[in-house]
Amino acid sequence: MNLAQWFDATSINGPDITSGERERRRREREAVLKRAETSISTLRNALSRGTMGIKLATRMEKATKGSSAEFKVVDQMPELQKQRTD
């Protein structure tokens, strides 16, 4: 999943999200941000710009591995898929 999809999957706002689910997502998101050594504001800035650095994307991929919302570098940067196959 790319960054926009990750934000949707980890969103803590919405009418259909229960308080238990909200808390689970908040804890999971905080753990991911800590492992990725970044902040939610940095990710929001990357989302609004439409681009993010490869180092941040790689850290996010490693930090979300095994979580309910796994971020993938090639989903965010499809141009890298061509480079890997060439």
Side-chain angles (χ1 to χ4, degrees):
M1 83 180 32
N2 63 27
L3 189 58
Q5 294 165 332
W6 183 83
F7 266 107
D8 289 341
T10 61
S11 173
I12 59 174
N13 297 320
D16 59 333
I17 299 174
T18 64
S19 60
E21 177 65 8
R22 181 177 288 116
E23 184 61 22
R24 185 198 66 77
R25 287 182 182 191
R26 187 189 61 75
R27 275 192 254 119
E28 185 177 61
R29 187 170 67 180
E30 285 178 4
V32 165
L33 293 172
K34 186 175 182 177
R35 285 192 306 266
E37 300 176 0
T38 192
S39 67
I40 198 73
S41 62
T42 299
L43 294 178
R44 283 190 180 123
N45 286 338
L47 181 63
S48 69
R49 284 194 318 262
T51 184
M52 67 188 306
I54 187 69
K55 289 181 182 180
L56 175 58
T58 304
R59 289 195 319 261
M60 280 294 293
E61 184 173 61
K62 288 178 184 177
T64 60
K65 190 170 187 165
S67 72
S68 63
E70 290 191 21
F71 176 88
K72 299 290 183 187
V73 173
V74 293
D75 291 343
Q76 181 69 28
M77 303 169 177
E79 64 275 9
L80 296 179
Q81 184 66 31
K82 291 180 183 178
Q83 291 176 358
R84 289 184 181 180
T85 60
D86 290 344

